[in-house]
Short mmCIF file of all heavy atoms in Angstrom, two decimals:
data_model
loop_
_atom_site.label_atom_id
_atom_site.label_comp_id
_atom_site.label_asym_id
_atom_site.label_seq_id
_atom_site.Cartn_x
_atom_site.Cartn_y
_atom_site.Cartn_z
N ALA A 7 25.75 96.29 10.74
CA ALA A 7 24.68 96.05 9.79
C ALA A 7 25.08 94.72 9.07
O ALA A 7 26.18 94.26 9.14
CB ALA A 7 24.42 97.17 8.74
N PHE A 8 24.09 94.13 8.29
CA PHE A 8 24.39 92.88 7.65
C PHE A 8 23.85 93.07 6.17
O PHE A 8 22.82 93.74 5.91
CB PHE A 8 23.56 91.72 8.37
CG PHE A 8 24.06 91.51 9.80
CD1 PHE A 8 23.56 92.16 10.76
CD2 PHE A 8 25.08 90.50 9.94
CE1 PHE A 8 24.10 91.99 12.09
CE2 PHE A 8 25.63 90.24 11.19
CZ PHE A 8 25.02 90.97 12.32
N VAL A 9 24.56 92.30 5.31
CA VAL A 9 24.26 92.46 3.79
C VAL A 9 24.38 91.02 3.42
O VAL A 9 25.21 90.20 3.82
CB VAL A 9 25.18 93.38 3.11
CG1 VAL A 9 26.64 92.96 3.22
CG2 VAL A 9 24.75 93.46 1.66
N LEU A 10 23.55 90.65 2.33
CA LEU A 10 23.61 89.28 1.74
C LEU A 10 24.85 89.03 1.06
O LEU A 10 25.30 89.90 0.29
CB LEU A 10 22.44 89.14 0.80
CG LEU A 10 22.31 87.75 0.14
CD1 LEU A 10 21.89 86.70 1.04
CD2 LEU A 10 21.27 87.89 -0.97
N ASN A 11 25.53 88.00 1.38
CA ASN A 11 26.77 87.56 0.65
C ASN A 11 26.42 86.92 -0.68
O ASN A 11 26.11 85.69 -0.64
CB ASN A 11 27.68 86.70 1.43
CG ASN A 11 28.93 86.32 0.81
OD1 ASN A 11 29.31 86.85 -0.30
ND2 ASN A 11 29.58 85.45 1.44
N THR A 12 26.40 87.63 -1.83
CA THR A 12 26.00 87.10 -2.97
C THR A 12 26.98 86.10 -3.59
O THR A 12 26.63 85.31 -4.58
CB THR A 12 25.71 88.19 -4.07
OG1 THR A 12 26.83 88.91 -4.11
CG2 THR A 12 24.53 89.10 -3.60
N ALA A 13 28.06 85.97 -3.03
CA ALA A 13 29.18 85.08 -3.42
C ALA A 13 29.13 83.70 -2.53
O ALA A 13 29.95 82.87 -2.74
CB ALA A 13 30.49 85.69 -3.40
N PHE A 14 28.17 83.68 -1.70
CA PHE A 14 28.13 82.53 -0.77
C PHE A 14 27.97 81.22 -1.65
O PHE A 14 27.12 81.18 -2.59
CB PHE A 14 26.94 82.64 0.11
CG PHE A 14 26.75 81.50 1.12
CD1 PHE A 14 27.83 81.16 1.97
CD2 PHE A 14 25.54 80.74 1.17
CE1 PHE A 14 27.62 80.12 2.81
CE2 PHE A 14 25.47 79.74 2.09
CZ PHE A 14 26.51 79.40 2.95
N GLN A 15 28.72 80.31 -1.34
CA GLN A 15 28.88 79.01 -2.19
C GLN A 15 27.53 78.36 -2.48
O GLN A 15 27.23 77.80 -3.56
CB GLN A 15 29.76 78.08 -1.61
CG GLN A 15 30.04 76.80 -2.46
CD GLN A 15 31.05 75.85 -1.74
OE1 GLN A 15 31.50 76.09 -0.72
NE2 GLN A 15 31.24 74.71 -2.42
N HIS A 16 26.64 78.33 -1.39
CA HIS A 16 25.41 77.51 -1.50
C HIS A 16 24.14 78.43 -1.62
O HIS A 16 22.99 77.96 -1.43
CB HIS A 16 25.30 76.68 -0.25
CG HIS A 16 26.46 75.92 0.03
ND1 HIS A 16 27.00 74.93 -0.87
CD2 HIS A 16 27.24 75.71 1.17
CE1 HIS A 16 28.03 74.43 -0.38
NE2 HIS A 16 28.24 74.83 0.87
N LEU A 17 24.39 79.67 -2.12
CA LEU A 17 23.24 80.58 -2.12
C LEU A 17 22.13 80.09 -3.07
O LEU A 17 20.98 80.20 -2.68
CB LEU A 17 23.73 81.90 -2.68
CG LEU A 17 22.75 83.13 -2.62
CD1 LEU A 17 22.26 83.32 -1.24
CD2 LEU A 17 23.29 84.33 -3.22
N ILE A 18 22.40 79.65 -4.27
CA ILE A 18 21.37 79.24 -5.20
C ILE A 18 20.50 78.07 -4.67
O ILE A 18 19.25 78.13 -4.73
CB ILE A 18 22.06 78.87 -6.63
CG1 ILE A 18 22.67 80.17 -7.19
CG2 ILE A 18 20.93 78.24 -7.48
CD1 ILE A 18 23.31 79.84 -8.60
N PRO A 19 21.02 76.97 -4.21
CA PRO A 19 20.25 75.91 -3.74
C PRO A 19 19.38 76.28 -2.53
O PRO A 19 18.27 75.92 -2.26
CB PRO A 19 21.29 74.73 -3.38
CG PRO A 19 22.49 75.38 -3.29
CD PRO A 19 22.49 76.56 -4.23
N ILE A 20 20.04 77.18 -1.58
CA ILE A 20 19.31 77.71 -0.42
C ILE A 20 18.16 78.64 -0.84
O ILE A 20 17.06 78.42 -0.35
CB ILE A 20 20.28 78.38 0.53
CG1 ILE A 20 21.20 77.47 1.27
CG2 ILE A 20 19.46 79.15 1.57
CD1 ILE A 20 22.15 78.12 2.09
N GLU A 21 18.38 79.45 -1.80
CA GLU A 21 17.39 80.32 -2.34
C GLU A 21 16.23 79.48 -2.97
O GLU A 21 15.05 79.73 -2.81
CB GLU A 21 17.89 81.20 -3.43
CG GLU A 21 16.84 82.25 -3.96
CD GLU A 21 17.50 83.15 -4.94
OE1 GLU A 21 18.49 82.81 -5.66
OE2 GLU A 21 16.99 84.33 -5.05
N THR A 22 16.60 78.40 -3.73
CA THR A 22 15.57 77.53 -4.35
C THR A 22 14.66 77.00 -3.30
O THR A 22 13.39 76.85 -3.49
CB THR A 22 16.27 76.41 -5.14
OG1 THR A 22 17.13 77.00 -6.20
CG2 THR A 22 15.22 75.48 -5.79
N ILE A 23 15.30 76.45 -2.16
CA ILE A 23 14.37 75.90 -1.13
C ILE A 23 13.53 76.94 -0.42
O ILE A 23 12.26 76.71 -0.37
CB ILE A 23 15.31 75.25 -0.03
CG1 ILE A 23 16.03 74.06 -0.70
CG2 ILE A 23 14.46 74.63 1.09
CD1 ILE A 23 17.01 73.38 0.13
N ILE A 24 14.19 78.01 0.11
CA ILE A 24 13.48 78.90 0.97
C ILE A 24 12.43 79.79 0.28
O ILE A 24 11.42 80.10 0.82
CB ILE A 24 14.51 79.80 1.70
CG1 ILE A 24 15.29 79.00 2.73
CG2 ILE A 24 13.76 81.01 2.38
CD1 ILE A 24 16.28 79.73 3.51
N LEU A 25 12.66 80.09 -1.08
CA LEU A 25 11.81 80.93 -1.78
C LEU A 25 10.84 80.00 -2.67
O LEU A 25 10.10 80.61 -3.48
CB LEU A 25 12.52 81.95 -2.63
CG LEU A 25 13.29 82.93 -1.95
CD1 LEU A 25 13.83 83.99 -2.88
CD2 LEU A 25 12.63 83.60 -0.78
N HIS A 26 10.83 78.81 -2.48
CA HIS A 26 9.86 77.97 -3.27
C HIS A 26 8.56 78.37 -2.84
O HIS A 26 8.25 78.60 -1.64
CB HIS A 26 10.20 76.48 -3.04
CG HIS A 26 9.39 75.55 -3.90
ND1 HIS A 26 8.12 75.04 -3.54
CD2 HIS A 26 9.63 74.96 -5.05
CE1 HIS A 26 7.70 74.30 -4.43
NE2 HIS A 26 8.51 74.24 -5.41
N PRO A 27 7.52 78.35 -3.74
CA PRO A 27 6.17 78.75 -3.44
C PRO A 27 5.54 77.95 -2.29
O PRO A 27 4.73 78.42 -1.48
CB PRO A 27 5.38 78.40 -4.77
CG PRO A 27 6.43 78.61 -5.79
CD PRO A 27 7.73 78.12 -5.21
N ASP A 28 5.96 76.69 -2.07
CA ASP A 28 5.36 75.90 -0.98
C ASP A 28 5.62 76.47 0.32
O ASP A 28 5.02 76.12 1.34
CB ASP A 28 5.85 74.47 -1.02
CG ASP A 28 5.29 73.69 -2.15
OD1 ASP A 28 4.37 74.24 -2.91
OD2 ASP A 28 5.66 72.55 -2.35
N PHE A 29 6.69 77.32 0.50
CA PHE A 29 7.04 77.82 1.82
C PHE A 29 6.66 79.29 2.04
O PHE A 29 7.01 79.88 2.99
CB PHE A 29 8.65 77.71 2.00
CG PHE A 29 9.10 76.29 2.01
CD1 PHE A 29 10.03 75.79 1.17
CD2 PHE A 29 8.51 75.33 2.89
CE1 PHE A 29 10.48 74.54 1.08
CE2 PHE A 29 8.88 74.04 2.84
CZ PHE A 29 9.82 73.54 1.99
N LEU A 30 5.94 79.84 1.16
CA LEU A 30 5.46 81.26 1.22
C LEU A 30 4.10 81.30 1.92
O LEU A 30 3.52 82.37 1.98
CB LEU A 30 5.51 81.89 -0.06
CG LEU A 30 6.84 82.15 -0.66
CD1 LEU A 30 6.86 82.87 -2.09
CD2 LEU A 30 7.71 83.03 0.29
#
C-alpha cells in the first residue's frame, strides 16, 4: 500500500500547484 509522505521536502509547493483552483 502507499501513504503520503508528509515529510517530503517539496510537499507544500507541489500541493500549492496541484490543488490550486485552476486545476480542479
Side-chain angles (χ1 to χ4, degrees):
F8 295 86
V9 61
L10 179 68
N11 180 10
T12 56
F14 182 57
Q15 182 181 4
H16 309 305
L17 186 63
I18 292 178
I20 287 176
E21 182 179 29
T22 300
I23 294 173
I24 293 182
L25 297 188
H26 188 272
D28 287 356
F29 298 125
L30 292 179

